[in-house]
Amino acid sequence: MRRAIISGNWKMNKTPEETVAYINEFKNNVKDADAEVILCPPAICLTEAVKAAEGTNVKIAAQNMHYKESGAFTGELSPLMLKSVGIEHVVIGHSERRQYFNETDETVNLKLKAAFENGIIPILCVGETLEERESGRTEAVLEGQLKEDLAGLTSENVKTLVVAYEPIWAIGTGKTASAEDANDTIKFIRNKVAELFDTESAEAMRILYGGSVKPNTIKGQMEMSDIDGGLVGGASLKVEDFSAIVNY
Ligand SMILES: O=C[C@H](O)COP(=O)(O)O
């Protein structure tokens, strides 16, 4: 039985002060949640966030990291740096990073390997654009991403990996894939990973849905057989909304 994960990705929102105020209220609302609860604040808030969440069931994740341990990479953070402040999860390959910051399947693959080498659990984002969907290429696009992103990982890696299926056309648009459609695509992802690795690992891997998840959509999504949780953007910015999602 896979344990659900509800993760909030704040993207480029909230200061360290706002982060601490949020966590101080949020931690009490979600203390009895069945799901694993993860918050992904901006990098500058991570240290304060880890401190504010200490001793609670709220885990703090980074939104990105570099694949090298150190070096001349201005503006970047390394896996070692994240580890040193108590980070256990990192989002890798979010579509906004692929679209605006030249993230490629090759760099995603290097980052996944670096995360596992450093004992950080990656949350790998995959998904298709509207144009790819409308031209019937969703499965081909996902298959290509999975093959390249997961190349060289081990079955043990895959068991702990978290994948977030985020159709790009559903991110921040208020359009969600229907729960049934998202579930079918997530099943496709699981089957593909079983082909690339093995069934046992694919069955253990958690696959989340992301794209305009709201308090009124989460229940239907979580009733699906293969949706193991949500990666929530906009609706994770308000304590009340995200608490309702976590406590679906
Ligand atoms: O990482 C989160 C996703 O991009 C979803 O964002 P959204 O819930 O605002 O659509």
Side-chain angles (χ1 to χ4, degrees):
M1 181 70 186
R2 297 181 294 266
R3 186 171 176 209
I5 297 178
I6 306 287
S7 181
N9 176 13
W10 289 354
K11 309 188 179 185
M12 198 172 70
N13 292 287
K14 297 195 189 294
T15 63
E17 200 180 322
E18 289 166 342
T19 298
V20 172
Y22 181 112
I23 294 174
N24 283 342
E25 191 184 343
F26 178 67
K27 66 184 181 188
N28 299 317
N29 295 351
V30 300
K31 62 181 186 324
D32 298 321
D34 291 329
E36 264 183 65
V37 185
I38 302 178
L39 282 178
C40 315
I44 199 167
C45 306
L46 290 176
T47 306
E48 290 300 319
V50 169
K51 279 190 211 150
E54 207 177 344
T56 75
N57 58 333
V58 179
K59 294 175 185 159
I60 306 300
Q63 297 177 13
N64 177 39
M65 67 169 201
H66 200 275
Y67 50 86
K68 294 272 193 185
E69 293 190 348
S70 62
F73 301 102
T74 301
E76 292 291 312
L77 295 177
S78 79
L80 290 180
M81 292 168 189
L82 296 181
K83 280 291 274 191
S84 75
V85 297
I87 297 300
E88 292 169 24
H89 295 79
V90 60
V91 177
I92 300 289
H94 191 282
S95 59
E96 287 148 18
R97 295 219 54 89
R98 294 180 191 252
Q99 187 179 353
Y100 305 126
F101 302 100
N102 299 324
E103 189 86 89
T104 63
D105 288 314
E106 192 183 348
T107 55
V108 166
N109 177 250
L110 291 168
K111 290 179 179 193
L112 291 179
K113 287 175 179 159
F116 283 117
E117 276 160 20
N118 286 280
I120 302 175
I121 298 173
I123 302 171
L124 164 67
C125 300
V126 294
E128 81 286 1
T129 62
L130 186 59
E131 191 263 320
E132 287 163 343
R133 182 180 184 89
E134 286 178 342
S135 58
R137 286 187 290 135
T138 299
E139 294 191 350
V141 166
L142 291 171
E143 180 172 354
Q145 289 175 343
L146 291 169
K147 273 190 179 152
E148 290 187 49
D149 296 352
L150 305 184
L153 297 188
T154 66
S155 293
E156 285 313 302
N157 294 156
V158 169
K159 282 181 193 162
T160 55
L161 175 70
V162 180
V163 172
Y165 166 56
E166 300 208 319
I168 294 166
W169 49 271
I171 296 177
T173 58
K175 294 179 190 157
T176 48
S178 73
E180 290 76 14
D181 268 4
N183 195 51
D184 284 348
T185 309
I186 285 175
K187 272 190 199 163
F188 171 82
I189 291 172
R190 202 179 299 287
N191 289 337
K192 209 32 77 185
V193 171
E195 261 172 55
L196 293 170
F197 292 86
D198 56 82
T199 307
E200 191 194 341
S201 310
E203 286 296 326
M205 183 180 74
R206 266 93 52 94
I207 310 181
L208 318 181
Y209 168 76
S212 297
V213 174
K214 305 285 178 219
N216 64 354
T217 67
I218 187 71
K219 203 168 166 25
Q221 288 157 339
M222 294 307 292
E223 280 166 2
M224 295 291 120
S225 63
D226 277 62
I227 301 182
D228 300 320
L231 182 57
V232 185
S236 70
L237 293 172
K238 284 196 183 146
V239 174
E240 194 187 342
D241 288 349
F242 195 47
S243 302
I245 292 173
V246 167
N247 293 321
Y248 65 91

